[in-house]
Amino acid sequence: MKLLRAPALAGAFVACLVLAGPSSHAQDNRPTLRIAVQANPPTAEPLDAESNVGYRTNYSIHDTLLQFDYAGDFQLKPHLAESWNWKSPTELEVKLRQGVKFHDGNEMTSEDVVFSFGPERLTGQKAPGFPMVRRYWVSLDKVEAVDRYTVRFTSKYQDPIFEQRLAAWTAQIISKAAYLKAPDYNAWRLKPIGAGPYKVDRVVANDAIVLTAHDDYWGGKPNAKTVLFKVVPEVSARVAGLLAGDYDISSDIPPDQLKVLESNKDIKIVGGPVNNHRVIWFDKTHPVLKDPRIRQAMIVSIDRQAIVDAMWDGRTKIPNGLQYDFYGKMYLQDFPKYRFDPEEAKKLLKEAGYKGEEITFRSFNNYYTAELATTQAMVAMWQSVGLNVRIVMVEPGGALFAPGDGRAAGNWSNSALLPDPLFSLWSQHGPASVQKAQGAWENEEFYKQGEVLERATDPQTRREAFRRMLQINEWDDPGVSSLHQNAVFYGIRKNVDWAPYIFLYMDLGPARLKFK
Amino acid sequence: MTRTVLTAVARLVITVLLAVTFVFVILRVSGDPARALLPVDAPEDQIAAVRAEWGLDKPLPEQYVTYVMKLASGDFGLSLNDRQPALRVVVEKIPSTLLLMGTGLVIAFTVGSALGLLAASYRGRAPDRLIMSLAIFVHSIPSFLFGILLILLFAVALRLLPSGGGPSLLHLLMPAAVIGLSQAGVVARFVRSSTLEVLAQPYITVASLKPLPRWYFIRAHVLPGSALPLLTLFGFSLGGIIAGAAIVESVFAWPGVGRFLVFSVARRDVAVVQTIVVLVATMMAFANLATDLLYAIFDPRLRTS
């Protein structure tokens, strides 16, 4: 009898649903976007997740006051702020967009902005974000609320890129009320409350980050109901998962797999060069490399085009110096390109009196894409001009620049975190750099020019300082040499309408992500 | 029996302590956890601050004593990666791994035993040769490659199963098959040789004279004798499966402890690695204890002695 009753009840229930007609809440038919990634950041709080994988997920959760026009000319545009203007050379007044809702439903006000940059979260000695201050906020003096929707930023000096800093990492605005309500910072960092297009559902260590649509997003309702960043460490599994239809996007597809995916009619490849250079570094205190001609010989004996063709299927760029074309007015288009000239290398070695002394070259085991193969190719190129280079493997947990053990040169990369050389050349090779701290490279003239780059407000003066810095760092007294721009490729199913920027930030907002 | 249990418990404690000490020393001498946590070009003062925060700047013996004391009180420390309690983040992944390992073991021992018995029954003939060749093949093929082959066949070509992820029953099939079948090869060889040994015993010759159905003869007379060595194999297999799970979980993006261990070792996340090692060492020691006890139960000779 009981067995008979169950279907009858179910039928009545279904009939009631049908008779009741359409629900007052329309069914949410938006799809889940499934992204297979090689790794995720440990948390969803930008203050402790600055990394390539952190950039990828966090911009979906948090918004900044201003934003670069990543798809256009990298000019600043309003974002959480509606407008901004300089009240004096060191005072910037920012008008906030009204009606912006955080993930917890609270409206964003100037209090939240002040708190986001305040001593409790960012600038205080004991604040979780304090380690980031030296990198991003050296010029920041104070942030004050003028009224409910107006904030005043005061800088310690006239900072030529202060506005750009408001669009950069660590400038994300969080909800003050939610931060103070969280049981502790460890709980907060797994589920922070921001004002981005998606809110955090859960962060599962080494497994997945799941975001859900923030339907009150100021920029419109997101087109995906849920976004899953699933950790699939093996490349072959990411490729197979995409082919099988288990994922909509697979990230970090190595160049040798691109043709496999391109041959599938349902999949396309998007992406290309990103805001990161693969570089090699030099130790100018090394007994052999202290003569800049040896370093110059190493630079001109690398056939960069051969590396790009063989390792990257020709799909990335060789820059003219450690710079990017998205620097806008600061881009030195006429800066000389890298030469491949084995004869010049031999001449330089002869002039320097090089007698085949061993030069060690430190490399990780494929921390960078095709790192080991690239290193082996470079060693072969160096050997062909008479340089005696030996590869020394180091682990990411080891010290890349640690003195001793014949330290001479090695692999590295350089990111441009803003469209300005201050955030690549200066931050990575200036007096606060690890190269200087470990005693591998320093140059007084470079540092003097860097101070001009940091403080000067005249664009032409800054350009000339930048030019001189590049000339010093890349040729006169080489500290690094760029090999090529790194590239990131995504395999994507054709029903997903999305394309990446040159920055590693995956913009999944309503304007950028659509489904066909 | 009491003495057996006490000896096994003492062995368990010593095993866990040795494993913890070994991992503690290896993780600290093979790299700096603070450097692994931060970007490769992090400034020295930031690295020093992280070392001080986590007590990594203290002398190694002091760190060790502090760690063991905390461990004894049940405090496994915080994960360096996300600063959550290490025990909690590890424990929440254990059910997935146990499910995978358990299913793998069931496949390994049922398929392996059946094939081993079959091979022994047809000793020297075509089925025996085929089964033994297959056993060597499935055991020698790297689980990474085996996994990818299964994905290409069942997920990409046939679209019958999901390529990875989980944990659900559908997601479980392929990774469990990889773990189970590669172990089944060993089990099959083991069962074949022990069955042949049993078949040569005089009591089997006597039993074979009875007019019994073949299945009953095998179940009642052959199996009890040939299954006993499987207990030893079970203990060994557990260790092999845990090691194999790290690879299989990575290939199939299975959210288990094995993959987490690989990730945490690379990140020098000492608290998490130590927690996993303590738990795995404890589990292995318990498995050995269980094996010893089962021997005592099932082998009358040991019971009487």
Side-chain angles (χ1 to χ4, degrees):
Chain A
M1 190 63 193
K2 275 182 185 170
L3 283 172
L4 287 173
R5 199 181 294 155
L9 282 174
F13 180 68
V14 170
C16 286
L17 283 180
V18 171
L19 289 173
S23 158
S24 56
H25 298 285
Q27 201 183 349
D28 191 346
N29 289 323
R30 289 175 296 175
T32 291
L33 181 71
R34 304 156 303 168
I35 308 169
V37 297
Q38 89 284 27
N40 271 333
T43 78
E45 164 58 70
L47 292 184
D48 48 27
E50 189 180 17
S51 60
N52 289 353
V53 294
Y55 300 138
R56 177 162 54 209
T57 52
N58 267 287
Y59 278 102
S60 289
I61 304 161
H62 303 281
D63 269 0
T64 46
L65 294 172
L66 312 181
Q67 198 183 55
F68 298 108
D69 183 2
Y70 290 109
D73 58 2
F74 285 85
Q75 291 299 302
L76 285 168
K77 59 180 188 177
H79 207 51
L80 290 179
E82 250 175 8
S83 63
W84 63 99
N85 66 84
W86 287 97
K87 290 290 176 187
S88 78
T90 55
E91 285 178 311
L92 180 71
E93 208 161 90
V94 175
K95 289 272 179 206
L96 303 182
R97 190 181 293 278
Q98 295 188 22
V100 170
K101 290 279 175 66
F102 284 116
H103 301 153
D104 60 356
N106 286 326
E107 190 195 12
M108 180 193 71
T109 68
S110 52
E111 259 195 55
D112 298 297
V113 178
V114 172
F115 186 82
S116 297
F117 292 95
E120 196 164 343
R121 179 175 179 266
L122 184 68
T123 50
Q125 291 264 353
K126 291 188 174 170
F130 188 69
M132 297 284 200
V133 170
R134 191 172 65 180
R135 194 174 177 95
Y136 287 97
W137 297 106
V138 275
S139 62
L140 180 66
D141 184 21
K142 58 185 174 183
V143 189
E144 300 158 293
V146 177
D147 60 40
R148 188 173 167 80
Y149 298 110
T150 311
V151 183
R152 185 185 302 122
F153 290 87
T154 307
S155 62
K156 292 174 187 162
Y157 55 87
Q158 192 175 357
D159 180 352
I161 61 160
F162 193 86
E163 292 153 306
Q164 295 195 30
R165 293 181 196 272
L166 292 179
W169 193 251
T170 70
Q172 294 92 343
I173 306 301
I174 55 108
S175 162
K176 177 186 175 183
Y179 187 96
L180 296 176
K181 205 172 142 190
D184 55 36
Y185 186 71
N186 284 343
W188 162 265
R189 70 201 330 163
L190 288 187
K191 212 165 183 176
I193 301 297
Y198 295 90
K199 47 191 168 189
V200 182
D201 179 64
R202 60 187 185 277
V203 175
V204 185
N206 193 34
D207 181 29
I209 290 181
V210 183
L211 309 178
T212 54
H214 173 38
D215 287 339
D216 291 330
Y217 181 55
W218 64 271
K221 209 170 166 178
N223 291 318
K225 184 181 173 188
T226 310
V227 177
L228 167 71
F229 292 96
K230 174 75 182 170
V231 177
V232 185
E234 292 301 330
V235 171
S236 45
R238 289 203 298 280
V239 169
L242 185 67
L243 289 168
D246 293 331
Y247 306 113
D248 303 301
I249 299 176
S250 280
S251 79
D252 298 273
I253 304 293
D256 62 349
Q257 294 291 311
L258 298 177
K259 284 178 181 150
V260 175
L261 290 174
E262 279 171 336
S263 64
N264 186 296
K265 65 178 174 49
D266 297 324
I267 292 165
K268 63 182 175 180
I269 295 292
V270 296
V274 296
N275 58 331
N276 181 273
H277 282 228
R278 260 288 275 117
V279 303
I280 56 172
W281 57 268
F282 300 107
D283 174 10
K284 67 182 281 189
T285 67
H286 184 267
V288 177
L289 297 190
K290 67 183 178 191
D291 186 330
R293 288 172 294 188
I294 307 290
R295 283 173 272 158
Q296 289 164 352
M298 289 179 81
I299 291 169
V300 294
S301 52
I302 299 171
D303 186 350
R304 289 169 173 76
Q305 193 57 53
I307 289 172
V308 165
D309 289 342
M311 314 290 173
W312 293 88
D313 194 27
R315 300 189 196 216
T316 190
K317 293 195 282 193
I318 301 166
N320 54 332
L322 191 49
Q323 58 168 345
Y324 299 84
D325 48 14
F326 61 76
Y327 280 176
K329 287 177 185 166
M330 290 302 291
Y331 177 58
L332 305 173
Q333 197 162 10
D334 59 344
F335 195 79
K337 290 183 175 173
Y338 292 103
R339 286 170 291 135
F340 170 52
D341 192 340
E343 291 311 311
E344 190 188 349
K346 285 177 189 166
K347 196 173 141 218
L348 284 163
L349 292 177
K350 196 174 172 188
E351 284 171 9
Y354 177 69
K355 292 187 174 60
E357 297 93 334
E358 185 179 83
I359 297 167
T360 57
F361 189 87
R362 293 180 181 178
S363 174
F364 297 123
N365 184 13
N366 289 332
Y367 177 82
Y368 304 112
T369 302
E371 181 180 7
L372 211 46
T374 302
T375 303
Q376 286 162 344
M378 285 192 299
V379 168
M381 290 167 193
W382 287 325
Q383 284 170 347
S384 71
V385 297
L387 282 158
N388 175 19
V389 182
R390 178 171 64 89
I391 301 172
V392 174
M393 299 303 295
V394 291
E395 285 192 58
L400 182 62
F401 298 96
D405 199 23
R407 180 184 72 183
N411 286 320
W412 204 9
S413 76
N414 180 302
S415 290
L417 304 168
L418 289 176
D420 190 278
L422 203 60
F423 265 74
S424 56
L425 190 62
W426 181 235
S427 63
Q428 195 158 323
H429 308 294
S433 71
V434 66
Q435 264 183 313
K436 157 92 168 139
Q438 296 275 21
W441 189 86
E442 60 183 315
N443 184 293
E444 281 311 312
E445 193 195 348
F446 181 87
Y447 293 163
K448 276 183 191 156
Q449 295 294 335
E451 283 166 19
V452 174
L453 184 72
E454 193 171 42
R455 305 273 177 136
T457 51
D458 171 43
Q460 192 53 34
T461 307
R462 295 189 78 229
R463 270 174 67 87
E464 288 317 309
F466 175 43
R467 184 186 297 279
R468 185 68 196 121
M469 288 169 80
L470 272 186
Q471 179 66 28
I472 294 167
N473 197 20
E474 300 228 27
W475 187 255
D476 295 354
D477 181 18
V480 292
S481 184
S482 180
L483 298 177
H484 54 76
Q485 249 176 282
N486 268 326
V488 174
F489 301 100
Y490 304 81
I492 175 170
R493 298 197 73 80
K494 284 183 178 167
N495 65 319
V496 180
D497 182 7
W498 176 81
Y501 299 136
I502 194 169
F503 277 56
L504 293 167
Y505 147 42
M506 278 186 94
D507 184 351
L508 306 174
R512 194 76 180 169
L513 170 70
K514 294 185 175 75
F515 294 89
K516 292 173 189 165
Chain B
M1 182 63 96
T2 313
R3 192 174 170 184
T4 309
V5 172
L6 286 177
T7 310
V9 169
R11 205 188 301 154
L12 185 150
V13 172
I14 293 167
T15 305
V16 170
L17 203 61
L18 283 175
V20 164
T21 308
F22 179 74
V23 169
F24 181 89
V25 173
I26 287 291
L27 279 177
R28 278 161 178 82
V29 299
S30 63
D32 182 351
R35 285 189 189 281
L37 182 69
L38 296 167
V40 290
D41 52 354
E44 284 303 303
D45 56 347
Q46 197 177 343
I47 293 167
V50 169
R51 280 199 201 112
E53 185 188 350
W54 293 89
L56 298 166
D57 56 344
K58 297 202 167 67
L60 208 58
E62 191 183 331
Q63 286 185 48
Y64 178 72
V65 171
T66 310
Y67 170 64
V68 173
M69 299 279 278
K70 282 186 172 177
L71 199 63
S73 66
D75 179 2
F76 285 73
L78 294 179
S79 161
L80 273 171
N81 190 44
D82 59 8
R83 294 165 197 248
Q84 304 302 309
L87 186 61
R88 201 195 75 205
V89 293
V90 171
V91 164
E92 68 189 18
K93 292 181 191 303
I94 284 180
S96 299
T97 295
L98 285 181
L99 178 66
L100 180 60
M101 283 170 48
T103 315
L105 276 175
V106 168
I107 293 173
F109 279 84
T110 49
V111 174
S113 301
L115 291 178
L117 277 173
L118 199 63
S121 306
Y122 290 93
R123 184 187 185 182
R125 287 148 69 186
D128 180 22
R129 289 199 196 98
L130 181 71
I131 289 169
M132 285 304 102
S133 305
L134 201 66
I136 291 171
F137 175 74
V138 291
H139 186 64
S140 51
I141 186 169
S143 48
F144 172 82
L145 185 63
F146 194 14
I148 294 294
L149 288 174
L150 289 188
I151 289 174
L152 289 175
L153 179 64
F154 291 104
V156 178
L158 302 175
R159 300 257 174 139
L160 289 175
L161 294 170
S163 63
S168 77
L169 282 179
L170 270 183
H171 289 94
L172 176 66
L173 287 177
M174 283 198 287
V178 171
I179 288 178
L181 292 179
S182 63
Q183 286 294 322
V186 183
V187 176
R189 288 192 69 83
F190 218 84
V191 169
R192 178 185 178 272
S193 59
S194 65
T195 305
L196 289 176
E197 224 172 86
V198 170
L199 286 173
Q201 298 293 319
Y203 76 88
I204 291 292
T205 313
V206 173
S208 66
L209 297 174
K210 296 178 191 172
L212 297 171
R214 190 166 174 77
W215 65 267
Y216 184 81
F217 168 73
I218 290 173
R219 202 202 73 185
H221 297 289
V222 180
L223 262 184
S226 62
L228 207 54
L230 283 182
L231 284 177
T232 311
L233 185 61
F234 178 80
F236 282 122
S237 296
L238 205 61
I241 283 178
I242 291 169
I247 298 164
V248 173
E249 286 179 0
S250 291
V251 171
F252 290 97
W254 183 263
V257 173
R259 183 160 72 112
F260 197 37
L261 178 63
V262 174
F263 168 79
S264 302
V265 167
R267 301 272 302 183
R268 296 286 188 289
D269 194 340
V270 286
V272 168
V273 175
Q274 285 163 176
T275 304
I276 294 175
V277 168
V278 169
L279 294 180
V280 169
T282 310
M283 197 171 80
M284 286 291 293
F286 267 115
N288 281 330
L289 173 65
T291 308
D292 290 348
L293 294 178
L294 286 172
Y295 254 109
I297 291 166
F298 287 113
D299 192 334
R301 291 166 299 181
L302 287 179
R303 201 162 49 219
T304 48
S305 69

PDB file of all heavy atoms in Angstrom, chain B residues 254-271:
ATOM      1  N   TRP B 254      41.573  14.127  -8.765  1.00  0.00           N
ATOM      2  CA  TRP B 254      40.770  13.582  -7.659  1.00  0.00           C
ATOM      3  C   TRP B 254      41.169  14.314  -6.367  1.00  0.00           C
ATOM      4  O   TRP B 254      42.352  14.379  -6.046  1.00  0.00           O
ATOM      5  CB  TRP B 254      41.040  12.070  -7.542  1.00  0.00           C
ATOM      6  CG  TRP B 254      40.233  11.383  -6.494  1.00  0.00           C
ATOM      7  CD1 TRP B 254      40.626  11.094  -5.219  1.00  0.00           C
ATOM      8  CD2 TRP B 254      38.903  10.887  -6.622  1.00  0.00           C
ATOM      9  NE1 TRP B 254      39.623  10.457  -4.546  1.00  0.00           N
ATOM     10  CE2 TRP B 254      38.552  10.317  -5.376  1.00  0.00           C
ATOM     11  CE3 TRP B 254      37.968  10.874  -7.652  1.00  0.00           C
ATOM     12  CZ2 TRP B 254      37.306   9.737  -5.154  1.00  0.00           C
ATOM     13  CZ3 TRP B 254      36.732  10.291  -7.415  1.00  0.00           C
ATOM     14  CH2 TRP B 254      36.401   9.729  -6.183  1.00  0.00           C
ATOM     15  N   PRO B 255      40.219  14.865  -5.659  1.00  0.00           N
ATOM     16  CA  PRO B 255      40.574  15.737  -4.525  1.00  0.00           C
ATOM     17  C   PRO B 255      40.985  14.974  -3.269  1.00  0.00           C
ATOM     18  O   PRO B 255      40.310  15.048  -2.244  1.00  0.00           O
ATOM     19  CB  PRO B 255      39.276  16.535  -4.306  1.00  0.00           C
ATOM     20  CG  PRO B 255      38.188  15.620  -4.776  1.00  0.00           C
ATOM     21  CD  PRO B 255      38.768  14.764  -5.872  1.00  0.00           C
ATOM     22  N   GLY B 256      42.077  14.251  -3.353  1.00  0.00           N
ATOM     23  CA  GLY B 256      42.472  13.411  -2.223  1.00  0.00           C
ATOM     24  C   GLY B 256      43.774  13.844  -1.567  1.00  0.00           C
ATOM     25  O   GLY B 256      44.370  14.862  -1.923  1.00  0.00           O
ATOM     26  N   VAL B 257      44.211  13.008  -0.634  1.00  0.00           N
ATOM     27  CA  VAL B 257      45.393  13.324   0.166  1.00  0.00           C
ATOM     28  C   VAL B 257      46.685  13.159  -0.635  1.00  0.00           C
ATOM     29  O   VAL B 257      47.640  13.907  -0.448  1.00  0.00           O
ATOM     30  CB  VAL B 257      45.426  12.403   1.415  1.00  0.00           C
ATOM     31  CG1 VAL B 257      46.713  12.588   2.182  1.00  0.00           C
ATOM     32  CG2 VAL B 257      44.248  12.707   2.312  1.00  0.00           C
ATOM     33  N   GLY B 258      46.724  12.187  -1.547  1.00  0.00           N
ATOM     34  CA  GLY B 258      47.944  11.905  -2.303  1.00  0.00           C
ATOM     35  C   GLY B 258      48.400  13.117  -3.101  1.00  0.00           C
ATOM     36  O   GLY B 258      49.562  13.527  -3.028  1.00  0.00           O
ATOM     37  N   ARG B 259      47.480  13.698  -3.843  1.00  0.00           N
ATOM     38  CA  ARG B 259      47.795  14.879  -4.647  1.00  0.00           C
ATOM     39  C   ARG B 259      48.171  16.062  -3.745  1.00  0.00           C
ATOM     40  O   ARG B 259      49.064  16.835  -4.039  1.00  0.00           O
ATOM     41  CB  ARG B 259      46.569  15.223  -5.493  1.00  0.00           C
ATOM     42  CG  ARG B 259      46.759  16.379  -6.431  1.00  0.00           C
ATOM     43  CD  ARG B 259      45.720  16.334  -7.514  1.00  0.00           C
ATOM     44  NE  ARG B 259      44.411  16.691  -7.019  1.00  0.00           N
ATOM     45  CZ  ARG B 259      43.756  17.818  -7.370  1.00  0.00           C
ATOM     46  NH1 ARG B 259      44.318  18.661  -8.183  1.00  0.00           N
ATOM     47  NH2 ARG B 259      42.561  18.070  -6.919  1.00  0.00           N
ATOM     48  N   PHE B 260      47.466  16.133  -2.639  1.00  0.00           N
ATOM     49  CA  PHE B 260      47.714  17.213  -1.682  1.00  0.00           C
ATOM     50  C   PHE B 260      49.130  17.097  -1.103  1.00  0.00           C
ATOM     51  O   PHE B 260      49.807  18.096  -0.859  1.00  0.00           O
ATOM     52  CB  PHE B 260      46.662  17.142  -0.571  1.00  0.00           C
ATOM     53  CG  PHE B 260      46.539  18.394   0.248  1.00  0.00           C
ATOM     54  CD1 PHE B 260      46.663  19.643  -0.329  1.00  0.00           C
ATOM     55  CD2 PHE B 260      46.285  18.329   1.606  1.00  0.00           C
ATOM     56  CE1 PHE B 260      46.542  20.801   0.425  1.00  0.00           C
ATOM     57  CE2 PHE B 260      46.159  19.467   2.373  1.00  0.00           C
ATOM     58  CZ  PHE B 260      46.290  20.716   1.778  1.00  0.00           C
ATOM     59  N   LEU B 261      49.570  15.848  -0.912  1.00  0.00           N
ATOM     60  CA  LEU B 261      50.909  15.611  -0.376  1.00  0.00           C
ATOM     61  C   LEU B 261      51.969  16.113  -1.364  1.00  0.00           C
ATOM     62  O   LEU B 261      52.914  16.808  -0.975  1.00  0.00           O
ATOM     63  CB  LEU B 261      51.108  14.115  -0.095  1.00  0.00           C
ATOM     64  CG  LEU B 261      52.482  13.712   0.429  1.00  0.00           C
ATOM     65  CD1 LEU B 261      52.776  14.344   1.774  1.00  0.00           C
ATOM     66  CD2 LEU B 261      52.580  12.192   0.556  1.00  0.00           C
ATOM     67  N   VAL B 262      51.793  15.785  -2.639  1.00  0.00           N
ATOM     68  CA  VAL B 262      52.753  16.227  -3.665  1.00  0.00           C
ATOM     69  C   VAL B 262      52.819  17.753  -3.691  1.00  0.00           C
ATOM     70  O   VAL B 262      53.893  18.361  -3.677  1.00  0.00           O
ATOM     71  CB  VAL B 262      52.346  15.689  -5.059  1.00  0.00           C
ATOM     72  CG1 VAL B 262      53.251  16.257  -6.148  1.00  0.00           C
ATOM     73  CG2 VAL B 262      52.391  14.175  -5.072  1.00  0.00           C
ATOM     74  N   PHE B 263      51.652  18.372  -3.702  1.00  0.00           N
ATOM     75  CA  PHE B 263      51.550  19.832  -3.737  1.00  0.00           C
ATOM     76  C   PHE B 263      52.228  20.444  -2.504  1.00  0.00           C
ATOM     77  O   PHE B 263      52.987  21.405  -2.604  1.00  0.00           O
ATOM     78  CB  PHE B 263      50.057  20.195  -3.783  1.00  0.00           C
ATOM     79  CG  PHE B 263      49.749  21.640  -3.543  1.00  0.00           C
ATOM     80  CD1 PHE B 263      49.913  22.568  -4.560  1.00  0.00           C
ATOM     81  CD2 PHE B 263      49.267  22.075  -2.321  1.00  0.00           C
ATOM     82  CE1 PHE B 263      49.611  23.910  -4.351  1.00  0.00           C
ATOM     83  CE2 PHE B 263      48.961  23.401  -2.103  1.00  0.00           C
ATOM     84  CZ  PHE B 263      49.136  24.322  -3.120  1.00  0.00           C
ATOM     85  N   SER B 264      51.975  19.847  -1.351  1.00  0.00           N
ATOM     86  CA  SER B 264      52.492  20.417  -0.103  1.00  0.00           C
ATOM     87  C   SER B 264      53.999  20.222   0.021  1.00  0.00           C
ATOM     88  O   SER B 264      54.683  21.069   0.590  1.00  0.00           O
ATOM     89  CB  SER B 264      51.775  19.787   1.098  1.00  0.00           C
ATOM     90  OG  SER B 264      50.393  20.005   0.982  1.00  0.00           O
ATOM     91  N   VAL B 265      54.517  19.117  -0.507  1.00  0.00           N
ATOM     92  CA  VAL B 265      55.968  18.906  -0.477  1.00  0.00           C
ATOM     93  C   VAL B 265      56.636  19.976  -1.338  1.00  0.00           C
ATOM     94  O   VAL B 265      57.627  20.593  -0.942  1.00  0.00           O
ATOM     95  CB  VAL B 265      56.342  17.493  -0.967  1.00  0.00           C
ATOM     96  CG1 VAL B 265      57.842  17.390  -1.233  1.00  0.00           C
ATOM     97  CG2 VAL B 265      55.927  16.448   0.052  1.00  0.00           C
ATOM     98  N   ALA B 266      56.074  20.217  -2.521  1.00  0.00           N
ATOM     99  CA  ALA B 266      56.646  21.226  -3.424  1.00  0.00           C
ATOM    100  C   ALA B 266      56.619  22.604  -2.769  1.00  0.00           C
ATOM    101  O   ALA B 266      57.509  23.415  -2.981  1.00  0.00           O
ATOM    102  CB  ALA B 266      55.887  21.245  -4.734  1.00  0.00           C
ATOM    103  N   ARG B 267      55.590  22.875  -1.963  1.00  0.00           N
ATOM    104  CA  ARG B 267      55.468  24.181  -1.311  1.00  0.00           C
ATOM    105  C   ARG B 267      56.176  24.212   0.044  1.00  0.00           C
ATOM    106  O   ARG B 267      56.098  25.208   0.747  1.00  0.00           O
ATOM    107  CB  ARG B 267      53.980  24.507  -1.079  1.00  0.00           C
ATOM    108  CG  ARG B 267      53.125  24.540  -2.320  1.00  0.00           C
ATOM    109  CD  ARG B 267      53.121  25.872  -2.964  1.00  0.00           C
ATOM    110  NE  ARG B 267      52.643  26.920  -2.070  1.00  0.00           N
ATOM    111  CZ  ARG B 267      52.486  28.180  -2.427  1.00  0.00           C
ATOM    112  NH1 ARG B 267      52.754  28.528  -3.645  1.00  0.00           N
ATOM    113  NH2 ARG B 267      52.055  29.084  -1.580  1.00  0.00           N
ATOM    114  N   ARG B 268      56.828  23.113   0.414  1.00  0.00           N
ATOM    115  CA  ARG B 268      57.470  22.989   1.736  1.00  0.00           C
ATOM    116  C   ARG B 268      56.473  23.338   2.845  1.00  0.00           C
ATOM    117  O   ARG B 268      56.819  24.002   3.825  1.00  0.00           O
ATOM    118  CB  ARG B 268      58.679  23.912   1.861  1.00  0.00           C
ATOM    119  CG  ARG B 268      59.798  23.591   0.920  1.00  0.00           C
ATOM    120  CD  ARG B 268      60.546  22.328   1.376  1.00  0.00           C
ATOM    121  NE  ARG B 268      61.741  22.117   0.585  1.00  0.00           N
ATOM    122  CZ  ARG B 268      61.746  21.743  -0.694  1.00  0.00           C
ATOM    123  NH1 ARG B 268      60.608  21.526  -1.327  1.00  0.00           N
ATOM    124  NH2 ARG B 268      62.876  21.550  -1.330  1.00  0.00           N
ATOM    125  N   ASP B 269      55.226  22.919   2.659  1.00  0.00           N
ATOM    126  CA  ASP B 269      54.211  23.189   3.679  1.00  0.00           C
ATOM    127  C   ASP B 269      54.389  22.147   4.776  1.00  0.00           C
ATOM    128  O   ASP B 269      53.724  21.109   4.802  1.00  0.00           O
ATOM    129  CB  ASP B 269      52.806  23.118   3.053  1.00  0.00           C
ATOM    130  CG  ASP B 269      51.756  23.713   3.961  1.00  0.00           C
ATOM    131  OD1 ASP B 269      52.018  23.814   5.178  1.00  0.00           O
ATOM    132  OD2 ASP B 269      50.675  24.083   3.468  1.00  0.00           O
ATOM    133  N   VAL B 270      55.332  22.439   5.676  1.00  0.00           N
ATOM    134  CA  VAL B 270      55.777  21.433   6.627  1.00  0.00           C
ATOM    135  C   VAL B 270      54.643  20.885   7.490  1.00  0.00           C
ATOM    136  O   VAL B 270      54.571  19.682   7.732  1.00  0.00           O
ATOM    137  CB  VAL B 270      56.920  21.965   7.514  1.00  0.00           C
ATOM    138  CG1 VAL B 270      58.203  22.046   6.746  1.00  0.00           C
ATOM    139  CG2 VAL B 270      56.593  23.312   8.103  1.00  0.00           C
ATOM    140  N   ALA B 271      53.757  21.753   7.933  1.00  0.00           N
ATOM    141  CA  ALA B 271      52.691  21.286   8.830  1.00  0.00           C
ATOM    142  C   ALA B 271      51.806  20.266   8.127  1.00  0.00           C
ATOM    143  O   ALA B 271      51.466  19.224   8.696  1.00  0.00           O
ATOM    144  CB  ALA B 271      51.859  22.467   9.310  1.00  0.00           C
TER     145      ALA B 271
END
